[in-house]
Amino acid sequence: MSASVQVTQKLQKLQQQQQCESSCYLSSTSAVQQQSFSSYKTSSRRQKTTVKTEKRQEVVKLSPLPKRAKRTYLAMDTDKEVIGYVIPVFRANHEVVRGLMEAQEEEEVTEEGIHYVAMRNLFVREAREAVDVKVEKKTRSTHIRESAGRMELSKTMEEWAEFRKKMNPDSLTHPPEFIVKPRGQTVWEGRTVRLHCTAAGWPKPRVAWYKNNVLIDAKARPQKYTIESSYNMHSLEIKNCDFMDTAQYHASALNVKGEASAVATVVVKRFQEGEEAGPLDPKPHGFCAEHGVTFETTIIDKFEVAFGREGETLSLGCTVIIYPTVKKYQPEVVWSRNSVPLKPSQWVHTHWSGERATLTLVHLNKEDEGMYTLRVNTKSGFDTYSAYVYVRDADVEVEGVPVAPLDVRCHDANKDYVVVTWKQPAVEGSSSILGYFVDRCEVGTHHWAQCNEAPVKYARFPVTGLVEGRSYVFRVRATNKEGVSRPSRVSDAVVAMDPSDRARLRAGPSAPWTGMIKFTEEDPTVGVVPGEPSDVVVTEATKSYVVLAWKPPVQRGHEGVMYYIEKCISGTDAWQRVNSGMPVKSPRFALFDLAEGRSYSFRVRCCNSSGVGEASASTGEITVGDKLDLPSSPGNPVATRNTDTSVVVFWGASKDVKYLVGYYVEYSEVGTDVWTPCNNKPVKQTRFVCHGLTTGSNCVFRVKAVNAAGYSQSSSASEAVVVKAAISVPGRATSVTLLEAAKDYMMLAWTEPANKGGADIRGYFVDYRTVKGDVVGKWHEMNLKALTTTSYKAENLKENVFYQFQVRAMNMAGVSEASLPTSALECKEWTITVAGPPVGLHVLEVRDTSAVVLWERPAFDGRAPVSGYYLDIKEASAGEQGWKAAHEKANKTKYMKVTGLKSGASYDFRVRAQNLAGVGKPSAVLGPILARTRPGTNEIHVDVDDDGVISMIFECSEMKEGSEFVWSKNYQTITDTSRLTLVTEQGRSRAIFNSPSLEDLGTFSCVVTNTDGFSSSYTLTEEGLKRLLDISHDHKFPVIPFKNEMAFELLEKGRVRFWTEVEKCTSACQVDYVFNDVIINEDKKYTVNFNKSTGIIEMFMDSLEISDEGTFTFNLVDGKAKGTTSLVLIGDEFRELQKKSEFERAEWVRKQGPHFVEYLSFTVTPECDVLLKCKIGNVRPETQITWSKDSIEIAEDDEDAQKIERNDGDLTFNIGKISKADAGTYQVLLRDDRGKDKSVFDLTDAGYQAVMNELFRVIANSSCGIKVISTEHGIILYSMITYYNEELRVGWLHKDAKIAASERVKSGVTGEQLWLKINEPTEKDKGKYTMDIFDGKDGVKRVFDLTGKAWEEAFEEFQRLKAAAIAERNRARVVGGLPDVVAIQEGKSLNLTGNVWGEPAPEVRWTKNDKELATDERYQLKFEHGKFASITIAAVTTADSGKYALLVKNKYGTEAGEFTVSVYNPEDEENKEGKKG
């Protein structure tokens, strides 16, 4: 029992705790309430366990109650960060709170409050009963059932708590919401519709009803609308519905916490008499068995032909009504352009609201032009609507350039190849288009690269050099003599990949995963040379390029294959490899730079790591040239009238045209030579409707065809056609009514068609049929000759027989459709017919061109009540034939303002009443009335005084005794002064609006009695009322206008200036300077200034502290006018400003001593010298300037000291030609007695690389254009630079492919010359060469086109030099062995041998004194081994002295080795010496 008592005590504590938790702090904020409610739920869900007592009884034991945490007033976000404070209104228990609220709102206790109290007490009682816990022994099944019950109870408690939040008047307020929303309805005409809804919220919301977003004023139209609100149930009743009541009705609930709205659609169907459809007659929509109804679709508010301009945004929309309305059923809405369904994209946005379909075209392009169709599919069928959208070109930036091409697409994409196509624009500019440039951009980047150097004429171009696996987009630009057009819209992204891989990706996995992996052995293919390709064909051939295609070989291994393409010029057997530098991956290849008109053969080889395979079969001879001809001129166009702004153009199709893209239609007004395109997107049909023309203009049209090759010649111009509506059959006659009936005839009348079809109505035909019960007869013609009037006497009818009549109108185009049949009319004698004549005609507000005619109801209404009136007018001088109707439709009111009168003319007026029987006889004639404004006549004018009071004022200068001002609304005297207050002072009357609202809309008039017709009127429209209310508000609550809102700026020393400027103010204007809702005064911290002449208000602060974070406000008062401007400085913005202020103050302190105006930076001179520079200020002669590198001071005697220069305030350190040895940290220190400052430049790592990048930029930009020079070994391409650094990267490309180094092609540097040597050049070395010099970023490119004349001259010079070198190397020469002078004693024997060289072996001759020697007894001449030539003279004499020469000669040249032989006699020498002695 002790355990049972313990459990009972805990249960009692639990109940007390729950009661306390449910009643505390109900008046605090929502955040505190949620915290309290969550703690309540935690305490009510304590852990429950089952224990056994000593007597083996199972009892329920509850876990200890958790301690309640101390309530916090910190507001926290989801990350537990403090974001503010929550301040409770007051603390009290539940009873005190309820007592206080009841005392404050005693007079507001309504039936809703009673309802809330009842519901609250009900839930409190249920909750208390639900939480009672009894201790008893229970089985396992019982325990499970009770556990489920407790879970259900917990859920009920949560729902009760949520409901209590909304329904308890003691709880916090909450916004309104609709418990029951109004439901849409579809009814027949003449029925009454009631819409109901229920809205909850606290305080009790007010509910207003709107029709198509216009407030419904039930008091103004009580005969149409009734609005009721009772016991939280709100209703709108629409009486006697007609077709105009078809609309969207909104119920809007509003209280201080917010607003909610609900919408319902009301569709009013009009009953149409006619033949009933038979069981076999076709129906527009089929029966839907799923929903049990037949859906009928109606499209209204249709979009018309639209015109847009490139770059704009255009929206199209229609309202769709589906009848009947089935809950949760929505039709399928499909938009299409030119019969192609549109999908949402970045350019196309679609929206379906449930009743309105909208299509938005973002950033229009010419691709968006076409016929747009809205198709609404239901279960019963579909309905469509179409209209054309024209997109005009955006304005060109340069006059005369073409407009952008359109419809860029990608075809035949492969691993490194894609074909780009486009359509030519309609406007070529001031000159013909010369060609097109194709640009590509890799997806994910913004770098556009031009694909073709020279413009292509065809609207088709193969792009090569793509990187496999990457995605690209393309665009096209047109060019003519004046310049280049804007780019087209980019194409869809295309991936450079194998088509088979793309097909595999699209198809997805071929089979589901089975959990098994199978291994198969395949034949080894490593080391296998691929086979030859097959089916090599030329797919495209133009004078600019040729495209080859082939099939991969069957034998190619697993590593994949690449391809070499070879060409052979017709008439030769020499095959040249076209892409020797870079094999292609795709089985497609485009060849450029082929000679136009020459014939070539092509073949393909496969290659892989194992080698190059055999060549494929040749394609045969292919002549380079355009294969696609321009289209022929279209046939002569024929233009026909269509509407007031459009013309239909027909033309004959172009004959024998291939791959036609479409036609462009142009028009020109007669007398001008300006042709304007009608369509900016080519059409393939031979019929086009040209919209947007000027009504009444005289235009001619012409057409031109276009295909990929270009434009055709324009067709001849059509015959001129005037733009106006075409003649068509008229519309239906309307309002067929019975005027009079007798025993054997009926008098009918009708109204002529509103649409006459562009021609005069020539007559009418009347048909009739008999009606007997539900059986109707066949239609018969009553008149064989067309009637010229809108009335007819149907004779020879049978008495007491019912007839129906219908009328057809006729003009020169034909007979219209029949009018709506009349109801069944009985042919019998009438006793009472139409209404009598109106009475009491009088006129007011007579002016030069207008007058207001008023009248009273006729004394006799006829058979039916009067439904309207007709006013007739004629000039007083005209006869009875001069009467004409002043309006077409019956006037419901008993007054009408007639306009368009001639000043000074006199007019007569009469009025006729109308009822169901017809129009009665006219009233007595009123007139003549002189159309002239009386002198001294004033008009009613509206005034808004300084207090914002709106009033109408009318003045009369000819008041007489007994004259009074009589005010009327809609020409009915105002007797109720709840809306207007009338004040009259002598000759001035003022009608003051008590509370202007929509109820006051209408025509207000004022008449002065006992005068000669002094009167005036003023029509108050909704727009005018809004304008007056705005003016009234401005007068009641004038606002001081600000030129600028409050702003701040930083000043010197880190001071902060808060300022604003007012547009105007008086000298009495006062300003309160407020910070965080506290007015501040000028002191040491704040300095304020208000210049009333300029309107500038300022407040200065020397510095910003942490306590200055908050809101700064300027409150202005200038008489009644007030103005407030604030600036919030909190969070990051405040800290940023504080940091800037502190920095500016520190900068000011720094600049009081020597300081750096510009810190150390670097520059690279054009001579490629690196300079470290800085600018200093506020220095004195005694200021020390110290340079250091890597913390080591540079002394005056150091070598680096010579690099330092100072020019006034500029310091420089000339590093010169930089190298890695110059890397380090450089520092400049300024110091004197006023302070010090330093600047550091880190010339390591990133700093060193930045300097090198700038050096590379200077070097790259100093490079000159590529030049060519020929040598005996080949051709050298070179460029000169100012300086070369070994870290500079230079690359060479041939035809945009990187050149690999080889023995034949080498690149290098000599001094300041960058060169590329091509040894033994061949035809394949022709093409575009690019030198790419790294400049620290993208690189600088120098391009040289080694084709044409440049190639021919260079190659010719190379061959000449090569031949000269060969000749020089192989010419005959004397290479040695012969002395210059030979002195020999007489009698001796002379033997000389000369070494000679020549290829072929030279011819050898010896001469003496230019005379040739021959072998004889004296001279022995020998030439051995082709290298050695010798001469032997036995026993020389003095006669042998002379000049000798060895002459060698072969086909490359001749050379002579000369020497002198001097023979002396010793005895003669001695005698000579003796004589001398």
Side-chain angles (χ1 to χ4, degrees), residues 197 217 290 707 932 1220 1249 1260 1299 1444:
C197 66
D217 187 358
E290 179 181 352
N707 65 1
R932 179 173 295 171
K1220 292 185 177 179
Q1249 188 59 47
I1299 299 176
Y1444 288 81

Side-chain angles (χ1 to χ4, degrees), residues 995-1030:
S995 179
S997 68
L998 295 177
E999 297 181 15
D1000 297 314
L1001 300 182
T1003 300
F1004 292 88
S1005 61
C1006 184
V1007 178
V1008 182
T1009 62
N1010 200 20
T1011 62
D1012 193 8
F1014 279 92
S1015 59
S1016 181
S1017 65
Y1018 175 80
T1019 302
L1020 182 62
T1021 62
E1022 183 176 356
E1023 182 180 357
L1025 178 62
K1026 291 181 180 179
R1027 180 179 59 83
L1028 292 173
L1029 289 176
D1030 291 340

Side-chain angles (χ1 to χ4, degrees), residues 1123-1253:
T1124 299
T1125 179
S1126 299
L1127 179 65
V1128 180
L1129 280 179
I1130 60 174
D1132 294 340
E1133 186 176 5
F1134 173 78
R1135 289 188 286 274
E1136 182 71 18
L1137 179 60
Q1138 186 185 26
K1139 184 185 297 183
K1140 290 181 179 179
S1141 175
E1142 293 174 352
F1143 174 78
E1144 289 295 331
R1145 185 168 184 83
E1147 280 292 288
W1148 181 82
V1149 173
R1150 181 179 68 85
K1151 292 178 181 179
Q1152 301 310 302
H1155 63 276
F1156 288 92
V1157 179
E1158 295 179 1
Y1159 288 99
L1160 267 179
S1161 62
F1162 73 91
T1163 184
V1164 180
T1165 66
E1167 294 77 22
C1168 298
D1169 292 333
V1170 178
L1171 296 181
L1172 298 182
K1173 62 177 183 177
C1174 63
K1175 185 175 289 187
I1176 59 178
N1178 199 13
V1179 295
R1180 296 176 177 176
E1182 63 269 17
T1183 303
Q1184 297 180 6
I1185 303 175
T1186 305
W1187 286 80
S1188 62
K1189 176 185 178 184
D1190 295 333
S1191 302
I1192 300 175
E1193 183 178 344
I1194 301 176
E1196 293 182 359
D1197 56 350
D1198 288 347
E1199 181 181 353
D1200 287 344
Q1202 306 302 320
K1203 302 178 180 179
I1204 301 173
E1205 293 183 5
R1206 177 181 176 184
N1207 185 9
D1208 294 334
D1210 296 327
L1211 298 180
T1212 58
F1213 186 93
N1214 190 350
I1215 296 176
K1217 303 297 188 290
I1218 193 170
S1219 65
K1220 292 185 177 179
D1222 297 313
T1225 303
Y1226 292 80
Q1227 176 180 298
V1228 183
L1229 177 64
L1230 307 177
R1231 177 185 299 171
D1232 60 17
D1233 57 355
R1234 296 170 298 163
K1236 62 180 180 179
D1237 197 6
K1238 69 176 181 179
S1239 178
V1240 179
F1241 184 79
D1242 188 3
L1243 192 58
T1244 62
D1245 299 333
Y1248 180 81
Q1249 188 59 47
V1251 173
M1252 294 303 296
N1253 288 342

Side-chain angles (χ1 to χ4, degrees), residues 854-1120:
L854 299 93
W855 59 87
E856 299 297 333
R857 294 176 61 89
F860 174 68
D861 286 349
R863 182 170 182 170
V866 174
S867 59
Y869 301 92
Y870 289 94
L871 174 65
D872 299 335
I873 183 175
K874 75 177 183 68
E875 292 191 17
S877 59
E880 288 299 317
Q881 300 298 326
W883 286 105
K884 62 180 180 180
H887 53 96
E888 294 182 359
K889 295 183 179 179
N891 185 17
K892 303 293 184 181
T893 62
K894 294 182 292 183
Y895 64 90
M896 183 176 181
K897 185 172 184 178
V898 183
T899 59
L901 306 181
K902 298 178 182 179
S903 179
S906 296
Y907 294 89
D908 292 337
F909 301 94
R910 70 183 185 185
V911 182
R912 294 171 292 148
Q914 180 188 36
N915 61 9
L916 291 177
V919 180
K921 295 182 179 181
S923 65
V925 176
L926 171 65
I929 304 297
L930 178 64
R932 179 173 295 171
T933 304
R934 286 181 56 84
T937 300
N938 298 316
E939 301 293 343
I940 295 177
H941 68 275
V942 180
D943 176 68
V944 182
D945 62 15
D946 293 340
D947 295 327
V949 177
I950 303 174
S951 59
M952 297 178 293
I953 300 174
F954 182 58
E955 297 178 353
C956 180
S957 59
E958 297 187 12
M959 297 287 291
K960 298 180 181 180
E961 184 179 357
S963 297
E964 295 180 354
F965 290 93
V966 178
W967 286 87
S968 303
K969 181 179 181 182
N970 296 331
Y971 295 97
Q972 294 183 359
T973 303
I974 298 176
T975 57
D976 183 10
T977 59
S978 62
R979 305 299 306 170
L980 286 176
T981 298
L982 305 178
V983 178
T984 301
E985 297 177 356
Q986 296 181 355
R988 173 188 175 101
S989 181
R990 184 180 181 190
I992 304 172
F993 289 97
N994 298 331
S995 179
S997 68
L998 295 177
E999 297 181 15
D1000 297 314
L1001 300 182
T1003 300
F1004 292 88
S1005 61
C1006 184
V1007 178
V1008 182
T1009 62
N1010 200 20
T1011 62
D1012 193 8
F1014 279 92
S1015 59
S1016 181
S1017 65
Y1018 175 80
T1019 302
L1020 182 62
T1021 62
E1022 183 176 356
E1023 182 180 357
L1025 178 62
K1026 291 181 180 179
R1027 180 179 59 83
L1028 292 173
L1029 289 176
D1030 291 340
I1031 298 175
S1032 173
H1033 183 272
D1034 293 340
H1035 287 196
K1036 285 182 181 179
F1037 309 102
V1039 177
I1040 299 176
F1042 288 90
K1043 282 187 179 179
N1044 301 294
E1045 293 294 330
M1046 185 190 293
F1048 68 85
E1049 62 176 331
L1050 278 175
L1051 304 178
E1052 191 180 16
K1053 300 183 183 181
R1055 298 184 71 204
V1056 182
R1057 173 181 180 247
F1058 299 91
W1059 70 282
T1060 186
E1061 183 179 3
V1062 297
E1063 290 186 0
K1064 59 181 179 179
C1065 64
T1066 66
S1067 59
C1069 183
Q1070 299 295 327
V1071 181
D1072 287 336
Y1073 304 88
V1074 181
F1075 173 66
N1076 286 346
D1077 299 330
V1078 177
I1079 298 178
I1080 58 179
N1081 299 314
E1082 184 170 2
D1083 54 16
K1084 294 182 179 180
K1085 185 173 183 179
Y1086 302 101
T1087 303
V1088 298
N1089 178 44
F1090 180 18
N1091 189 333
K1092 297 180 181 179
S1093 61
T1094 62
I1096 296 178
I1097 306 172
E1098 300 173 300
M1099 182 177 72
F1100 300 90
M1101 297 178 65
D1102 292 337
S1103 62
L1104 288 178
E1105 302 175 358
I1106 297 178
S1107 59
D1108 296 323
E1109 182 176 7
T1111 302
F1112 296 85
T1113 304
F1114 293 163
N1115 289 331
L1116 283 74
V1117 178
D1118 192 358
K1120 289 177 57 178

Side-chain angles (χ1 to χ4, degrees), residues 31-32 35 71-77 81-86:
V32 177
Q35 183 179 0
R71 183 173 303 279
T72 178
Y73 298 107
L74 296 177
M76 299 184 179
D77 59 8
E81 295 290 337
V82 177
I83 60 176
Y85 300 91
V86 178

